[in-house]
Amino acid sequence: MYYAVIFTSTRTEIEEGYVEMAIKMVELAKEQPGFLGMESARNEIGITVSYWESLEAIKSWKANTEHLLAQEKGKSTWYKNYKVRIAKVEREYEF
Amino acid sequence: MYYAVIFTSTRTEIEEGYVEMAIKMVELAKEQPGFLGMESARNEIGITVSYWESLEAIKSWKANTEHLLAQEKGKSTWYKNYKVRIAKVEREYEF
């Protein structure tokens, strides 16, 4: 049993610094305790789903100092809007 | 409280029929009882997240006859691989 953080967003036109920060945040997330993985795609909207061992791990990541700065910059500069959903994965199957 | 179905996939090179079927499935999903919404993005991988009122609604959608045909065709033709995660949304916030 684990958790998914579903981050959906629409971007502003402002590109400056965005890709660098996105890469930095992926690297930083990977170092967090309880991090299990991350998947991203974007065209009209962006969807990033990250996977975590526990709600505590998600809370720690949300409160990470560098991540907080990225969140602020995201709101002021890169994102028109975003939505975060925290969900408990109850079953899964694959092909 | 509601559920998210996180569908991540990688596509084959085969385009024929894919877009038409994808559009048809979105239209069909919208008609299902308990359907709340759907968001998609694709570049290297595709991520589609659909939202549902209950596990029963998800089960019915999975078992829908036209959807079953699309799933078969997806496995035989359009997808290299995919993964489905069913998750209970426990909290959310937005900007």
Side-chain angles (χ1 to χ4, degrees):
Chain A
M1 205 267 298
Y2 62 99
Y3 288 84
V5 178
I6 306 164
F7 176 82
T8 50
S9 63
T10 53
R11 289 266 285 107
T12 61
E13 307 289 302
I14 303 169
E15 291 294 341
E16 197 189 343
Y18 174 73
V19 172
E20 295 80 353
M21 184 65 94
I23 291 169
K24 194 171 156 189
M25 285 305 111
V26 172
E27 292 310 309
L28 193 60
K30 284 179 182 169
E31 296 169 7
Q32 301 308 301
F35 177 82
L36 300 174
M38 189 184 282
E39 300 177 295
S40 285
R42 174 176 299 281
N43 20 55
E44 292 83 36
I45 67 158
I47 305 178
T48 295
V49 190
S50 59
Y51 305 100
W52 301 86
E53 277 177 10
S54 65
L55 287 175
E56 290 64 38
I58 295 168
K59 207 173 288 180
S60 297
W61 170 232
K62 186 167 188 284
N64 175 284
T65 308
E66 282 184 81
H67 188 203
L68 282 175
L69 290 171
Q71 289 168 52
E72 283 313 307
K73 185 84 170 156
K75 285 190 250 198
S76 68
T77 308
W78 296 309
Y79 294 115
K80 269 189 215 158
N81 50 66
Y82 64 70
K83 183 157 184 166
V84 177
R85 292 175 175 91
I86 298 170
K88 188 196 280 183
V89 177
E90 301 202 337
R91 60 187 82 173
E92 61 185 27
Y93 56 90
E94 58 196 302
F95 156 70
Chain B
M1 206 268 298
Y2 62 98
Y3 289 84
V5 178
I6 305 164
F7 177 82
T8 50
S9 63
T10 52
R11 290 265 284 107
T12 61
E13 307 288 304
I14 304 169
E15 291 293 340
E16 197 190 342
Y18 173 73
V19 171
E20 294 80 355
M21 185 65 95
I23 292 168
K24 195 172 155 189
M25 285 305 112
V26 172
E27 293 307 311
L28 194 60
K30 285 179 181 169
E31 296 169 6
Q32 301 309 301
F35 176 82
L36 299 174
M38 189 184 281
E39 300 176 296
S40 286
R42 175 176 300 280
N43 21 55
E44 293 82 37
I45 67 157
I47 305 178
T48 295
V49 189
S50 59
Y51 305 100
W52 301 86
E53 277 176 11
S54 65
L55 288 175
E56 291 65 37
I58 295 168
K59 207 173 288 180
S60 298
W61 170 232
K62 186 166 188 285
N64 175 283
T65 308
E66 282 185 80
H67 188 202
L68 282 174
L69 290 170
Q71 290 168 52
E72 284 314 306
K73 185 85 170 155
K75 284 190 252 199
S76 68
T77 310
W78 296 308
Y79 294 114
K80 267 188 217 163
N81 51 65
Y82 64 72
K83 183 157 184 166
V84 177
R85 293 175 174 92
I86 298 171
K88 188 196 281 183
V89 178
E90 300 201 339
R91 61 188 79 173
E92 59 184 29
Y93 56 90
E94 57 195 303
F95 156 70

